[in-house]
Amino acid sequence: MPSGSCACRHIRYTASVQPSRLVNCHCVECRKQSGAPYLAFVDFPTDAVNWDIKPTEWRFSETASRFFCPRCGSTVMMTLDCEPSSVGIAVGTLDDDGSVQVPPPTSHIFLKEKASWFQLPDDGAKRFQGWTE
Ligand SMILES: [Zn+2]
Ligand SMILES: [Zn+2]
C-alpha cells in the first residue's frame, strides 16, 4: 500500500487504498509554496491516510488549509472545507517503491494563474481556468 514522507522523513504516512486522481494545480500559492512550476496532488479518502506525526497546518484561506513539515518545510497535503471526505497529498511525497499506483494526470487547474514561462505538456489531462471551468 502507498506510503510517503516529507524530505527529512519527520512526517510519514501510509494509505490503505490507492489514490483516485492526479490534479496539477497552477495557482500562485501552489507555485510559491512548492517552489515549482505547479503542484501535483493525488486524492485519497481522508480516513484512508494514517499519519505517524501530523504535518503543521497553514490556514491559507477561509476555505482551505495547506500542511507542511515543521522541520524541513516540505509541502505535504492540502484540504478543502467543502470536501472533508478527501485530502490532496502532494504526489512527490509518495515513496516510489512499487507499492503505489499513481493514475495518469486527471486535470490541470487554475490555468488562469499559470506561470507564463511554463509550457503545458500535451498529456491528455483536462484543462480548467479555475477549479472546474
Ligand atoms: Zn520534514
Ligand atoms: Zn493551487
Side-chain angles (χ1 to χ4, degrees), residues 85-121:
S85 61
S86 74
V87 297
I89 297 287
V91 71
T93 64
L94 286 164
D95 296 329
D96 194 16
D97 58 3
S99 64
V100 65
Q101 294 153 18
V102 175
T106 309
S107 59
H108 292 276
I109 63 173
F110 280 95
L111 289 174
K112 64 185 176 187
E113 298 180 16
K114 182 183 77 65
S116 61
W117 41 261
F118 179 72
Q119 286 206 321
L120 266 187

Side-chain angles (χ1 to χ4, degrees), residues 6-11 69 71-74:
C6 62
C8 77
R9 312 287 201 273
H10 174 60
I11 303 292
C69 171
R71 291 190 182 171
C72 70
S74 298

Side-chain angles (χ1 to χ4, degrees), residues 17-63:
V17 298
Q18 295 292 340
S20 58
R21 58 183 191 147
L22 173 58
V23 176
N24 300 311
C25 186
H26 295 259
C27 82
V28 172
E29 288 80 15
C30 280
R31 201 160 76 229
K32 297 280 187 184
Q33 197 193 15
S34 65
Y38 59 89
L39 228 174
F41 296 99
V42 279
D43 282 4
F44 285 98
T46 304
D47 56 11
V49 181
N50 292 300
W51 300 90
D52 291 0
I53 297 173
K54 280 224 163 188
T56 301
E57 180 174 2
W58 170 32
R59 186 71 179 163
F60 97 102
S61 80
E62 290 179 3
T63 57

